[in-house]
């Protein structure tokens, strides 16, 4: 690994950080987008999410302007929730991230709050802990350390100790997670206006 400055400025990941603040928001947006709208009970069944968690996630999505209640709801087969135009813009990348994580059997670690932002920061060129911390200024040191450890354990990231004085660790995207990292980069780009 070579020492290069991160190509992602902190404001570039702010939208992704905000999107990942709620554990289930990315999968919920992906599922609603895939179906062109969704009913509460269907979301619970497909995602394996508890009803209280889904209520909180949908409330947050509605407050953020990503989801809206269906104004024509009333028929039992009509969806209760629809995406707003802004939600439609991020639903496809959300679906791609979830599909990539599922294909690697990594959905659980990827749903953690800081996992996707850390993966996006490393994929954008942040190799050292300090680079990652600069790209994600709202993350606590403990949260970053946990996200890095979880992603290394899941083989999404590789950790290498460089032979420098003093020795320092450097991070890179793991070979098996290249598709997930690419999908996360697309989601970070789509979510960028969300951080403004």
């Amino acid at each position: 690994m070579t020492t290069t400055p991160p190509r992602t400025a902190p404001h570039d990941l702010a939208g992704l950080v905000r999107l990942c603040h709620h554990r289930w928001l990315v999968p919920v947006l992906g599922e609603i987008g895939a179906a062109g709208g969704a009913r509460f009970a269907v979301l619970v069944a497909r995602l394996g999410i508890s009803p209280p968690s889904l209520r909180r996630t949908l409330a947050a999505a509605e407050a953020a302007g990503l989801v809206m209640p269906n104004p024509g709801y009333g028929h039992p087969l009509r969806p209760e929730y629809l995406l707003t135009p802004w939600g439609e813009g991020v639903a496809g990348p959300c679906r791609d991230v979830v599909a990539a994580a599922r294909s690697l059997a990594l959905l659980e670690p990827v749903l953690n709050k800081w996992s996707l932002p850390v993966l996006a920061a490393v994929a954008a060129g942040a190799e050292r802990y300090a680079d990652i911390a600069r790209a994600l200024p709202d993350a606590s040191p403990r949260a970053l350390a946990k996200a890095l450890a979880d992603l290394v354990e899941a083989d999404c990231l590789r950790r290498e100790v460089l032979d420098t004085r003093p020795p320092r660790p450097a991070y890179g995207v793991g070979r098996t997670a290249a598709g997930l990292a690419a999908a996360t980069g697309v989601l970070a780009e789509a979510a960028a206006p969300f951080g403004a």
Side-chain angles (χ1 to χ4, degrees):
M1 288 184 228
T2 60
T3 304
T4 58
R7 294 184 302 267
T8 302
H11 68 275
D12 291 339
L13 295 177
L16 182 62
V17 168
R18 188 169 174 212
L19 200 59
C20 294
H21 182 73
H22 293 276
R23 175 180 177 86
W24 289 100
L25 189 53
V26 170
V28 165
L29 290 175
E31 193 65 39
I32 293 173
R39 297 180 49 72
F40 188 89
V42 172
L43 288 171
V44 168
R46 285 198 180 155
L47 296 173
I49 183 174
S50 71
S53 290
L54 181 57
R55 276 190 207 91
R56 284 191 300 272
T57 301
L58 287 169
E62 193 174 341
L66 296 164
V67 171
M68 65 181 180
N70 187 350
Y73 178 69
H75 188 278
L77 297 179
R78 287 191 186 132
E80 294 171 89
Y81 299 96
L82 300 172
L83 294 172
T84 63
W86 158 238
E88 289 173 7
V90 296
C94 285
R95 188 173 51 250
D96 294 343
V97 165
V98 171
R102 279 191 176 134
S103 73
L104 298 170
L106 295 175
L107 190 58
E108 188 62 30
V110 165
L111 289 180
N112 293 332
K113 179 178 178 178
W114 290 104
S115 294
L116 291 177
V118 166
L119 182 60
V122 172
E127 291 182 337
R128 297 177 307 133
Y129 179 90
D131 299 334
I132 298 165
R134 262 193 303 279
L136 302 168
D138 293 337
S140 69
R142 181 178 178 196
L144 280 183
K146 180 171 179 6
L148 284 166
D150 289 349
L151 289 169
V152 167
E153 183 180 329
D155 289 328
C156 288
L157 295 180
R158 66 183 189 284
R159 182 180 187 269
E160 180 181 327
V161 178
L162 301 178
D163 189 19
T164 60
R165 292 188 193 257
R168 66 174 181 84
Y171 297 90
V173 175
R175 283 193 320 247
T176 58
L180 176 59
T184 302
V186 171
L187 179 58
E189 192 174 310
F194 193 44

